[in-house]
Amino acid sequence: MKLGVQELLIILAVVVIIFGPTQIPKLTKMFGKSVKSFKDGIAEADEEQAKKPGDEKE
């Protein structure tokens, strides 16, 4: 399922109407922090998985 230009513009317009132009920078900053936190958590889980002894396949 692809989103076209028209669909993206409609979504953007709805976001601006709902949150207002002053809240959008705050929302994008929170979204960026959330993505970074998620990536850090995934990396931490991968490190823990790599440290477990006995999980090695021989």
Side-chain angles (χ1 to χ4, degrees), residues 8-47:
L8 291 175
L9 289 175
I10 291 171
I11 293 170
L12 180 62
V14 169
V15 168
V16 170
I17 290 169
I18 291 174
F19 295 107
T22 58
Q23 294 294 325
I24 292 175
K26 292 178 187 176
L27 291 172
T28 56
K29 187 175 182 180
M30 287 189 312
F31 180 73
K33 285 182 180 180
S34 298
V35 170
K36 184 180 184 316
S37 175
F38 180 76
K39 286 182 179 180
D40 291 345
I42 294 293
E44 185 178 319
D46 287 344
E47 289 174 9

